[in-house]
Amino acid sequence: MTAPVPAGEIVPTGEFRAKVRSYPRWIVNFLAIITLAYGLVLGVTLPWTIQQTLFDPASGLTSKGPFTTAWGIFLIVIGASIIARWLVIQAMAFYEHDRVRRKPPAELPNPAPFVSILVPAFNESETVIGALTSLMTLDYPNYEIIFVDDGSTDDTFIKAFPLAGQYGNCTLLLRLPVA
C-alpha cells in the first residue's frame, strides 16, 4: 500500500500513460541500419566463399564425388534461404519501427465528457484521505469529485476538508447532508 500524497501534491499516475523511453530513438535506428548492413554484407560475400569451398577444382567438394556435391548444394540453398529470410525480417522490422514512429496520434472523435464522481462517506476517517487522493490522480481530462459526509460521528469531514480545491483536471468539492 502506498503512502498518502500530501494535500495539494498530485502524483501523475495511470495505466494509460505511455512509458518513458530511457534511450534516444536515433540509437534504435542506428542499430537497425547496422544490423541490416551486416546481413547485406553476409548475403553478398557468403556465396563467393561457398562457391570457393564447393567448386574449387583443387580442394572443392565436387572433386570428392556426386553425393558430396549434392550435399554441398543443399547446404547452399538452405544457407541462402536463411540469409534471405533474415534480411527480409530485418527490413520489415525497420519499416514497422519507422512506420509506428511516423504514425500520427489517434484523435478522439469527441472530447471526453465532463464526469462527476460522488463519494458518500460515513465514519471513514481512516480511509478518506487515501480514497480521495487516489480519485484525484485519475488519468481523465475533466472531472469533479463530490465528497458527501453522511453525518459521520468521527472526524471524516475534518480530515477531508483540507483536500478541497482545484487539482489540474480535477475539482474536489465537499458537502454535508442537508438536515
Side-chain angles (χ1 to χ4, degrees), residues 41-53:
V41 168
L42 278 180
V44 170
T45 60
L46 202 55
W48 280 291
T49 306
I50 292 173
Q51 179 185 10
Q52 182 70 21
T53 305

Side-chain angles (χ1 to χ4, degrees), residues 30-44 86-87 90:
F30 176 74
L31 291 174
I33 290 170
I34 292 298
T35 305
L36 187 61
Y38 174 71
L40 288 172
V41 168
L42 278 180
V44 170
W86 188 67
L87 287 171
Q90 289 296 319

Side-chain angles (χ1 to χ4, degrees), residues 4 9 23 30 40-41 44 62 70 84 95 107 110 126 130 149 169:
E9 182 181 334
Y23 53 87
F30 176 74
L40 288 172
V41 168
V44 170
T62 54
Y95 172 77
E107 295 188 22
N110 297 324
E126 296 296 320
D149 185 0
N169 57 351

Side-chain angles (χ1 to χ4, degrees), residues 73-107:
I73 291 172
F74 174 74
L75 291 178
I76 289 173
V77 170
I78 294 297
S81 300
I82 290 171
I83 289 174
R85 177 185 175 274
W86 188 67
L87 287 171
V88 168
I89 288 174
Q90 289 296 319
M92 288 180 0
F94 183 72
Y95 172 77
E96 182 66 18
H97 173 75
D98 198 46
R99 186 183 67 81
V100 169
R101 180 182 61 149
R102 292 184 184 171
K103 185 177 179 182
E107 295 188 22

Side-chain angles (χ1 to χ4, degrees), residues 128 132 145-149 156-165 171-176:
V128 67
L132 292 176
I145 302 167
I146 302 172
F147 175 79
V148 180
D149 185 0
T156 301
F157 189 79
I158 294 169
K159 284 188 174 182
F161 187 76
L163 296 176
T171 304
L172 176 60
L173 305 171
L174 301 176
R175 301 285 184 253
L176 288 171

